Amino acid sequence: MGKVALLFAGQGAQHPGMGQELYASEPAVKETFDALEQSMPGLTKLCFEGTKEELTRTENTQPAVFALDLAVARALAAHGVKADAVAGFSLGEVAALTFAAAMTDEQGFALVRHRGDLMAKACQENPGGMRAVVKLDAPVVEDLAQKAGAWPVNYNSPQQTVVAGPAEALEKLDDLVREAKGRALKVAVAGAFHSPFMQPAADGLAQYLAQHPLAPAQVEVWANMTGEPYPTDTAQMAEVLATQPAHAVRWTHTLEGMKAQGFDTFVEVGPGKTLTKLVQRTLDGVTALACETPEQLSAVLEAVGKE
């Protein structure tokens, strides 16, 4: 068996009831949620009982997904699963850095809440949305996005690129994608994330991190912005993390780089199976598993020999 990577889910994967079963069965999940609940009363209820609409609000989505991401990773660690590296999709990168001890749980949660507030404000100042374009290669999508007046922002898999921009540009993109024999699917987020519309949020994060410095990561963390491991210098780490909300997520490059480094088992922690599916669409000859329910946890433990 090669190396094991934990992949921390991002915004858009949230759903009502997420994590409730694991909370009831895994002490590490309950402990993590209960500790974060002290900082955000109502967090657990939001995850377990919140409506789809409530969970889609950026200021709610980010702390809720962060909490479940981190809790599931803690449960795996409690069962003896050792991650050789971690990566997180968008906000999942904050959870990944927290798991890697670049921040304490409380610091990571405070950062992700601040990040959510900054991005929610940026959404209000620059309204927009996102489309996942499938069945077309990235260079084709890049060309169509430019023609529509939007930006390619998430390179998810060889046949899926997410585009962000204002509503009118996305409507034009829908038509262009249809003409090119592709499909444009609306993404369940509240704004044009990872686009220039998020620059105010990036600026705010830079100011925040200047006052709340990171610690050296104890586990290798791969960065969205570069598709490569984070730098070891903490000031450079902070710069990458702050810049991330306004720059593209190079997920395909990340996965391909990890495989080249000997990673052959990818475990998605947090809500849904989005990242698991992206691994399956991008890499051959690897194992990709989601982990959100007790049944999925058991399957992961079996796969890595920790049953």
Side-chain angles (χ1 to χ4, degrees), residues 4-303:
V4 176
L6 298 187
L7 306 179
F8 291 70
Q11 198 157 344
Q14 68 278 357
H15 62 84
M18 61 185 194
Q20 189 167 9
E21 292 180 85
L22 272 187
Y23 180 90
S25 63
E26 291 294 321
V29 172
K30 185 177 188 303
E31 181 180 345
T32 302
F33 265 96
D34 289 352
L36 298 179
E37 177 82 16
Q38 301 303 310
S39 300
M40 183 180 173
L43 170 68
T44 305
K45 184 176 181 180
L46 173 66
C47 290
F48 299 168
E49 303 176 25
T51 65
K52 181 179 178 181
E53 291 71 25
E54 289 171 329
L55 285 166
T56 301
R57 291 171 54 192
T58 302
E59 61 272 30
N60 288 338
T61 310
Q62 299 210 16
V65 173
F66 172 95
L68 183 54
D69 282 5
L70 186 61
V72 176
R74 296 276 187 238
L76 287 170
H79 283 281
V81 177
K82 181 183 180 297
D84 296 294
V86 296
F89 194 98
S90 191
L91 85 90
E93 192 165 287
V94 183
L97 284 162
T98 303
F99 181 76
M103 296 170 275
T104 66
D105 291 5
E106 293 75 16
Q107 290 169 337
F109 193 59
L111 172 61
V112 86
R113 291 189 71 189
H114 188 58
R115 182 182 186 272
D117 289 342
L118 288 170
M119 293 176 73
K121 183 179 179 183
C123 290
Q124 293 174 348
E125 295 172 350
N126 299 294
M130 301 176 81
R131 296 287 193 276
V133 181
V134 297
K135 298 185 177 181
L136 297 175
D137 294 339
V140 175
V141 178
E142 289 172 341
D143 181 60
L144 297 181
Q146 182 179 25
K147 291 178 179 176
W151 302 279
V153 294
N154 296 350
Y155 292 83
N156 290 350
S157 74
Q159 288 282 296
Q160 184 185 121
T161 304
V162 175
V163 175
E168 59 272 19
L170 295 179
E171 290 173 5
K172 185 175 180 180
L173 177 75
D174 291 341
D175 294 335
L176 292 171
V177 169
R178 212 164 18 243
E179 292 171 5
K181 308 301 182 185
R183 291 183 64 200
L185 309 171
K186 187 175 181 180
V187 181
V189 294
F193 300 137
H194 297 288
S195 78
F197 279 8
M198 292 295 113
Q199 189 57 49
D203 294 340
L205 268 184
Q207 294 173 11
Y208 182 89
L209 287 167
Q211 301 299 319
H212 302 82
L214 300 174
Q218 301 303 303
V219 179
E220 184 178 77
V221 184
W222 286 61
N224 287 178
M225 197 176 78
T226 61
E228 299 174 357
Y230 258 82
T232 56
D233 178 80
T234 55
Q236 293 177 350
M237 288 173 63
E239 183 178 354
V240 171
L241 180 57
T243 306
Q244 185 233 42
H247 281 74
V249 174
R250 302 196 176 280
W251 194 249
T252 303
H253 186 65
T254 298
L255 296 180
E256 291 172 342
M258 284 184 147
K259 184 181 180 184
Q261 293 293 323
F263 288 86
D264 65 1
T265 302
F266 296 83
V267 180
E268 178 177 6
V269 294
K273 301 179 180 179
T274 301
L275 303 185
T276 303
K277 293 177 181 177
L278 294 181
V279 173
Q280 293 168 342
R281 293 168 184 163
T282 304
L283 304 178
D284 294 324
V286 303
T287 298
L289 298 164
C291 190
E292 182 193 352
T293 68
E295 294 78 15
Q296 290 172 336
L297 174 61
S298 295
V300 171
L301 295 178
E302 181 179 356

